[in-house]
Amino acid sequence: MRVTGTPLTVSGTIRAPGDKSISHRALIFAAMASGATRIRGILPSADVRATAGALRAMGARIPALSDDFVVHGQGVQSLHSPEATLDCANSGTTARLLAGLVAGLAGRSARFEGDASLSRRPMRRVADPLSAMGAHVTFMGAAGHDGLPMQVDGAALHGIRYVNAQASAQVKSALLLAGLTSGVAVTVDEPLRSRDHSERMLLARGVALAMTSEGVTLPAGQVVQPADVIVPSDPSSAAFFVALAALADAGQLRLENVCLNPTRTGAFDVLQRMGAVLHVEDECDVGGERIGTLVVHPSTLRGTHINGAEIPRCIDELPMIACLAACAEGETRITDAQELRVKESDRIRGVVENLRALGAEIEELSDGMRIVGSRTPLAGHVVTHGDHRLAMAFGVLGALPGNQITIDDPGCVAVSYPTFWRDLSQSVGPVAPSMASAPASVAPSITGSSPLVIAIDGPAASGKSSTAQWVAKLLDVRHVDSGAFYRAITFLAVESGEVPESWTAASVLAHSGRVAWRLTERSVLPLVDGQDQDEALRGAAVTRHVSRVAAMALVRAWVNEQVRSAGAAVDVVVDGRDIGTAVFPTAQLKVFLVADSWERARRRLLQRLGRRPTEAEIATETEALVARDAQDATQSAPAHDAVTIDTTTVTQEEQVERIVALARATRQRLGR
Ligand code: S3P
């Protein structure tokens, strides 16, 4: 469907992370119930961690978020006022749902705050009905600002019948929570249906809700019982890959375990109407939610009109749909979507400005946008305003051959999909094998067969870099510092004087001809213009910009080529995240260092604080560490033939000894 670029083939199966809405609710209801709730498959993202942190601050015993854990709820009356302000970070669901929870707890108070984006979002939509029920809600910011920071003083509430005019599931859920904590009846009428996860989960917990075509009624005096949860994959996250597969030229993508709740599947209906070839396999019900595998094939896409009742069913996917529409045939109109203006960013303005800057034809409407699709390649720099869904929507466009797109803040995907970049790079297939020949400065291999490559991968703070250097020294082979290549190319980009905001992979790689290698006795290091720039490469300007450069897929491909050609020339030990999978899939020895994240967090805190950390401190640090690991675009699972070493209970010396022994055995096997 595009006129330039090599065809894009997609392949593989993706299990998008747990549903964000269900994850928040699983934690809240588990904390409210008396008894144990086992939660599997929770989304360990920044937003969900904000809810976990806030509930902990109110006394809930929530362990570090992992794929399978148990919350021992002590009943809603055990929740107390938090000592400090509740930090909701970027998460509207945290702020609004917990405002409802606190509102119904007489004698309890909480102050809510959030990041700059959340502080701009409207809170009057929950403050007004909660106040009408008898709670005291006070906006603490500048006069006239009806957002966070906000103080909620709980009270013995009275019941309410409320019309949910914005079709907001957060407002509906806040009122249901207030009704539950205060034991009063709540009816929410919904002219347009919003997502109904709260209702489904409450029904599964013995709450006698009545769901009608008009809305939902919670009778007075209901108690939330514990019930285990298996969180399905988030359809809003899966939608990025449905779009990617639809836009590709060949192949297919399978998205398994996707939540197919009908209040959430509007985007899939829209994409099918636009011509996407998509079908569902293995449908079944898990924990009150429909799930299934989506199988998507490339197709020719055409414009459509999205409005009315369909909008709440695809509200979070509209940025992706708009980006896809920019590559479809004909015109797409999105109307009745004014809610997009009060999401993590003004998503109407953000999508329109970015698509226009990339070269698309697009018109801003007060309640949506009009997009005229085209086959012209898109190029430029995307400003996300820290909005995760903008980063991912434009990330998908950036993966299409022919497009040249950079994104200012790729890390903001941690809000809902920490492993997005890894999944994206895996689904568009590995980078084509390097044809690059080794620079003349490199001595040819001393053996007739291919040189020995020892790949050491692992997450952050697993100690892989120092371990790799130590192993290389003991084996008398060279250590490849792949990070130095990212620094070298960033150094040249900084030196060029171009403003970093305008850098693209192409402009950065324009300098790649000036980078060669040098072999030291112990390592393979980059040489810039034939010079050793070791000190300059560690400078502040390079440090500031290197992660943005390292997030560019084409730059990664180039660095991988350098590392590969080094490994084709001399025996090496290489450390990284995807060395054994993407860079050297045929490495003779692959080691994957793991360490229990709790233990890694404990070690870090011990070092940082100089004292034994508390369990709560470790829990918080563990979550941050897990999210940071996952956020790394290059992080990958161990290669199927990697030897995994758990460093949790092993000293570094022991690790090194073990790897050296494995390397010696490998050499022996290869007759070296
Ligand atoms: C959510 C409801 C929606 C959605 C948000 C999550 C929820 O927001 O956009 O990402 O979990 O209840 P609104 O309730 O503001 O429509």
Side-chain angles (χ1 to χ4, degrees):
M1 49 188 334
R2 292 169 308 283
V3 284
T4 61
T6 46
L8 175 69
T9 303
V10 287
S11 63
T13 301
I14 291 170
R15 180 177 273 246
D19 186 82
K20 185 155 76 70
S21 296
I22 296 177
S23 296
H24 285 291
R25 288 158 173 84
L27 289 174
I28 296 170
F29 296 145
M32 290 169 73
S34 292
T37 294
R38 180 177 177 191
I39 302 176
R40 277 174 281 178
I42 200 166
L43 167 70
S45 79
D47 265 20
V48 179
R49 284 188 288 121
T51 290
L55 289 169
R56 279 189 201 115
M58 295 176 69
R61 290 198 199 140
I62 297 184
L65 304 187
S66 65
D67 205 42
D68 187 354
F69 64 98
V70 176
V71 175
H72 293 281
Q74 297 150 91
V76 75
Q77 292 309 327
S78 72
L79 297 171
H80 56 68
S81 303
E83 274 171 30
T85 301
L86 297 178
D87 181 4
C88 304
N90 193 246
S91 175
T93 313
T94 307
R96 295 189 179 125
L97 268 59
L98 294 186
L101 177 94
V102 173
L105 290 172
R108 261 69 49 101
S109 304
R111 191 181 159 137
F112 296 82
E113 65 179 22
D115 67 9
S117 148
L118 182 57
S119 303
R120 280 192 294 270
R121 298 179 67 184
M123 291 295 150
R124 191 167 288 288
R125 53 181 59 194
V126 285
D128 281 352
L130 292 175
S131 302
M133 291 174 81
H136 300 282
V137 184
T138 320
F139 296 118
M140 315 292 288
H145 174 66
D146 59 359
L148 302 187
M150 173 175 88
Q151 164 100 12
V152 178
D153 296 306
L157 304 179
H158 34 85
I160 192 170
R161 176 164 201 147
Y162 188 74
V163 179
N164 188 13
Q166 291 109 353
S168 165
Q170 294 176 357
V171 171
K172 174 176 62 179
S173 303
L175 301 189
L176 292 175
L177 282 161
L180 283 166
T181 50
S182 217
V184 297
V186 169
T187 294
V188 180
D189 292 325
E190 293 208 294
L192 298 181
R193 288 308 285 262
S194 66
R195 63 190 65 188
D196 62 6
H197 304 298
S198 294
E199 293 92 311
R200 287 171 189 255
M201 292 177 86
L202 288 172
L203 283 170
R205 282 158 184 73
V207 173
L209 279 180
M211 291 166 75
T212 66
S213 56
E214 316 287 289
V216 57
T217 294
L218 169 79
Q222 296 297 306
V223 176
V224 178
Q225 307 291 343
D228 293 349
V229 189
I230 299 177
V231 184
S233 294
D234 197 322
S236 305
S237 298
F240 295 109
F241 291 92
V242 173
L244 175 75
L247 287 165
D249 302 287
Q252 70 160 34
L253 276 183
R254 296 175 68 82
L255 295 142
E256 61 182 22
N257 191 44
V258 180
C259 177
L260 298 176
N261 176 319
T263 61
R264 298 291 301 283
T265 49
F268 306 140
D269 297 343
V270 169
L271 291 182
Q272 277 182 305
R273 200 161 69 231
M274 294 178 82
V277 177
L278 130 82
H279 69 270
V280 181
E281 290 178 0
D282 306 330
E283 261 189 278
C284 62
D285 287 315
V286 173
E289 295 284 2
R290 193 111 191 112
I291 67 161
T293 296
L294 295 178
V295 185
V296 199
H297 295 268
S299 54
T300 301
L301 301 168
R302 53 188 176 274
T304 189
H305 188 187
I306 310 156
N307 65 343
E310 198 163 48
I311 294 292
R313 296 182 58 239
C314 64
I315 188 77
D316 291 339
E317 295 75 67
L318 287 172
M320 182 68 258
I321 293 172
C323 285
L324 176 125
C327 309
E329 284 171 7
E331 183 180 299
T332 295
R333 286 178 73 85
I334 301 172
T335 53
D336 301 329
Q338 53 282 354
E339 273 295 296
L340 283 180
R341 294 210 183 265
V342 291
K343 293 294 179 187
E344 285 82 330
S345 68
D346 176 344
R347 288 183 175 158
I348 295 179
R349 180 68 46 90
V351 166
V352 169
E353 285 184 349
N354 280 305
L355 273 177
R356 188 175 289 145
L358 297 179
E361 189 182 334
I362 183 159
E363 183 193 345
E364 178 172 343
L365 308 174
S366 60
D367 62 348
M369 60 195 88
R370 189 181 71 85
I371 307 139
V372 181
S374 150
R375 294 156 171 251
T376 322
L378 301 168
H381 187 59
V382 167
V383 181
T384 58
H385 306 286
D387 188 328
H388 55 131
R389 300 214 191 274
L390 293 196
M392 293 186 276
F394 285 97
V396 167
L397 286 190
L400 305 180
N403 290 349
Q404 287 285 330
I405 297 172
T406 54
I407 293 172
D408 65 344
D409 183 10
C412 68
V413 302
V415 158
S416 65
Y417 196 161
T419 53
F420 172 76
W421 299 108
R422 184 195 70 187
D423 288 352
L424 183 64
S425 65
Q426 282 177 0
S427 55
V428 298
V431 180
S434 163
M435 288 293 118
S437 53
S441 61
V442 174
S445 164
I446 40 160
T447 62
S449 54
S450 53
L452 181 72
V453 175
I454 300 172
I456 301 184
D457 289 304
S462 57
K464 59 187 182 300
S465 181
S466 56
T467 296
Q469 282 178 41
W470 196 349
V471 168
K473 191 170 169 200
L474 291 177
L475 291 173
D476 200 20
V477 299
R478 290 181 171 85
H479 171 231
V480 183
D481 184 355
S482 57
F485 285 91
Y486 289 109
R487 288 182 165 270
I489 198 76
T490 306
F491 168 75
L492 288 170
V494 170
E495 219 199 15
S496 74
E498 276 177 57
V499 274
E501 287 64 38
S502 69
W503 292 355
T504 62
S507 73
V508 170
L509 286 174
H511 311 293
S512 60
R514 294 168 61 191
V515 181
W517 325 327
R518 98 191 139 84
L519 279 184
T520 69
E521 204 187 333
R522 292 259 159 256
S523 60
V524 179
L525 287 176
L527 212 56
V528 176
D529 293 333
Q531 301 290 312
D532 176 0
Q533 297 280 8
D534 197 34
E535 211 166 296
L537 298 195
R538 287 169 209 285
V542 175
T543 303
R544 197 160 49 245
H545 300 297
V546 67
S547 56
R548 191 156 85 75
V549 170
M552 296 174 179
L554 290 175
V555 175
R556 298 202 70 77
W558 172 79
V559 170
N560 287 350
E561 280 187 1
Q562 310 307 303
V563 175
R564 271 193 207 106
S565 46
V570 291
D571 291 353
V572 284
V573 177
V574 196
D575 71 271
R577 309 282 170 116
D578 54 1
I579 304 296
T581 46
V583 185
F584 286 114
T586 57
Q588 296 93 334
L589 175 60
K590 298 175 188 175
V591 175
F592 197 84
L593 299 180
V594 292
D596 178 85
S597 50
W598 182 273
E599 175 59 18
R600 283 156 64 212
R602 195 191 64 77
R603 286 182 195 163
R604 273 202 168 175
L605 285 171
L606 196 62
Q607 202 176 22
R608 195 186 303 156
L609 307 173
R611 62 164 167 82
R612 275 180 58 186
T614 65
E615 295 243 316
E617 284 170 336
I618 303 176
T620 309
E621 180 68 16
T622 303
E623 282 159 23
L625 198 59
V626 169
R628 267 206 304 277
D629 288 346
Q631 192 178 324
D632 193 302
T634 64
Q635 191 191 13
S636 64
H640 67 94
D641 50 351
V643 178
T644 297
I645 300 182
D646 189 341
T647 70
T648 312
T649 54
V650 184
T651 66
Q652 193 175 30
E653 196 170 355
E654 286 167 329
Q655 277 174 54
V656 169
E657 263 172 24
R658 176 118 190 260
I659 299 169
V660 167
L662 287 167
R664 294 208 167 116
T666 306
R667 273 182 164 164
Q668 214 164 14
R669 182 167 49 81
L670 298 172
R672 307 273 176 93

